[in-house]
Amino acid sequence: MRRFQINANDSGQRVDKFITKAVPLLPQPLLYKSIRLKRIKLNGKRCEISTRLAEGDLLELYLNDEFFDVPSPELIFLRAPTALDILYEDENLLLVDKKPGLVVHEDESGRPDTLINRIQHYLYDKGEYLPEQEHSFAPALCNRIDRNTGGIVIAAKNAPTLRVLNQKIKDRELQKLYLAVIHGQLKQKSGVLKAFLTKAGDENRVTVTNTPSPGGRTILTKYRILAENGRFSLIEVDLLTGRTHQIRAHFAFLGHPLLGDTKYGFARDNRGTSYKYQALYAYQLVFRFQGGAEHLEYLNGQTFAVPHVWFAEDFKNGKIR
């Protein structure tokens, strides 16, 4: 038998979703059977699968101990360093400037040095993340950026913040602006580009076309030119649709691949430069809530930006030619 006192990070979840996270050894069929047979009770009474938990609730599971005999997991995040470039922090979230080369989540290499592990280690050291007191939540990222792209990543410190921001991002109420350096010059100084993007099977790659294709999705890429030097252009991009590799693939399709991008461009085009990965940075974030944002309403209208993006400074100082 096991009791769970529901805390703020657990609240709002369905009973079955919470138990799946808190008791991972319990098979789903037995979970649902136990609810039907009243072996799982909420505040001493029968509950339903879809019942929503509230802070302060007491969930009792009258089940064999074998389902709870999970060894204490190693805190993998403690193996990661705590070095972070924090642009903003409060009791609900962190805005972190992720540098190129750092993965946001663990990849096939299994290395513990990821952005989320760094953040969890940092919060653990501050006493703001105590895994032994959490049943179903850990600080999490609300957005992600490719390994070799830099920029602003949002991390939620609590479950209500994660829930609200995930919905706001889905509703496109957060604006992310990117800086990039592309080969060549565009005919128009600004505009909105439209095309169709398709993922290339299981490859970590996409293709772009002018006409719809099976499985293709519309992409809209808004841009404006900030500076030009003949060989390259420095641009600002506003993704009106957020698809995988959209900026890289879209501009390469137009004949203007990003400086340093060898996935959608060609290494020979980057000769004479020191760029070994794409000159792309998610440098600015604007909160543009259209509806209520609950406890995060104070963020509405605020803008956060990375103060120094090296390739933009290199461009303006004449170091990219």
Side-chain angles (χ1 to χ4, degrees):
M1 187 268 193
R2 185 65 56 90
R3 291 187 174 90
F4 292 96
Q5 190 78 44
I6 303 304
N7 62 33
N9 284 329
D10 301 327
S11 65
Q13 296 183 72
R14 286 172 33 148
V15 166
D16 60 337
K17 300 297 185 184
F18 170 81
I19 295 174
T20 298
K21 297 174 187 175
V23 191
L25 295 183
L26 182 63
Q28 289 282 307
L30 183 55
L31 187 162
Y32 298 132
K33 180 178 180 180
S34 299
I35 289 177
R36 290 196 308 271
L37 297 178
K38 302 181 186 179
R39 291 175 185 164
I40 296 176
K41 296 183 178 181
L42 182 62
N43 299 322
K45 300 177 181 178
R46 178 176 181 170
C47 60
E48 301 296 334
I49 293 170
S50 59
T51 300
R52 296 281 176 175
L53 298 171
E55 186 175 1
D57 280 348
L58 180 64
L59 190 64
E60 297 172 304
L61 282 65
Y62 295 89
L63 303 172
N64 295 339
D65 289 341
E66 63 188 90
F67 300 117
F68 308 109
D69 292 337
V70 181
S72 297
E74 179 188 1
L75 300 179
I76 299 296
F77 62 81
L78 292 180
R79 291 201 228 158
T82 57
L84 294 169
D85 289 304
I86 299 173
L87 296 174
Y88 174 80
E89 180 179 8
D90 62 26
E91 68 275 13
N92 294 310
L93 55 85
L94 284 164
L95 301 183
V96 179
D97 176 12
K98 185 196 85 70
K99 302 304 182 185
L102 180 65
V103 296
V104 292
H105 292 113
E106 189 172 309
D107 59 12
E108 62 278 359
S109 72
R111 294 172 184 161
D113 189 9
T114 66
L115 180 63
I116 186 57
N117 281 347
R118 288 190 182 197
I119 289 170
Q120 290 180 356
H121 192 172
Y122 167 77
L123 295 175
Y124 180 87
D125 286 352
K126 289 183 67 181
E128 293 187 34
Y129 172 43
L130 303 174
E132 66 277 7
Q133 295 182 13
E134 295 293 343
H135 306 306
S136 63
F137 177 80
L141 304 181
C142 302
N143 64 309
R144 61 179 62 196
I145 293 179
D146 291 342
R147 176 200 291 269
N148 290 326
T149 299
I152 302 174
V153 177
I154 310 168
K157 291 185 177 183
N158 53 64
T161 296
L162 182 63
R163 174 180 53 78
V164 172
L165 287 180
N166 281 347
Q167 187 61 50
K168 293 300 182 183
I169 290 171
K170 180 179 178 181
D171 294 339
R172 306 200 65 78
E173 295 181 22
L174 275 70
Q175 181 187 34
K176 288 188 295 181
L177 296 178
Y178 294 77
L179 290 177
V181 175
I182 60 171
H183 287 270
Q185 294 178 289
L186 295 162
K187 293 181 180 179
Q188 303 293 330
K189 300 300 181 183
S190 63
V192 177
L193 306 170
K194 179 179 179 179
F196 301 89
L197 180 148
T198 306
K199 287 189 177 181
D202 295 331
E203 301 175 32
N204 185 28
R205 186 182 178 89
V206 301
T207 57
V208 175
T209 59
N210 275 325
T211 56
S213 59
R217 305 181 73 179
T218 301
I219 55 173
L220 297 172
T221 307
K222 184 177 181 180
Y223 76 93
R224 66 186 181 103
I225 297 172
L226 302 179
E228 301 171 307
N229 64 15
R231 184 182 177 189
F232 298 106
S233 300
L234 175 66
I235 63 173
E236 180 186 74
V237 180
D238 182 1
L239 286 181
L240 303 183
T241 55
R243 313 296 188 204
T244 301
H245 296 174
Q246 179 175 327
I247 295 174
R248 298 166 64 187
H250 202 167
F251 283 100
F253 169 71
L254 296 172
H256 302 283
L258 271 61
L259 169 63
D261 190 355
T262 56
K263 181 184 287 285
Y264 295 101
F266 299 97
R268 65 174 182 266
D269 295 332
N270 300 308
R271 288 172 187 159
T273 74
S274 59
Y275 287 80
K276 298 180 180 179
Y277 42 75
Q278 61 268 17
L280 179 64
Y281 223 89
Y283 86 106
Q284 185 169 296
L285 175 68
V286 186
F287 291 89
R288 300 188 184 279
F289 300 149
Q290 301 302 308
E294 300 180 26
H295 63 294
L296 299 180
E297 193 62 44
Y298 65 92
L299 292 170
N300 199 16
Q302 293 201 48
T303 298
F304 300 90
V306 176
H308 303 289
V309 177
W310 80 95
F311 62 75
E313 295 180 355
D314 283 353
F315 195 102
K316 293 174 181 177
N317 292 330
K319 295 181 180 179
I320 296 179
R321 291 196 171 275

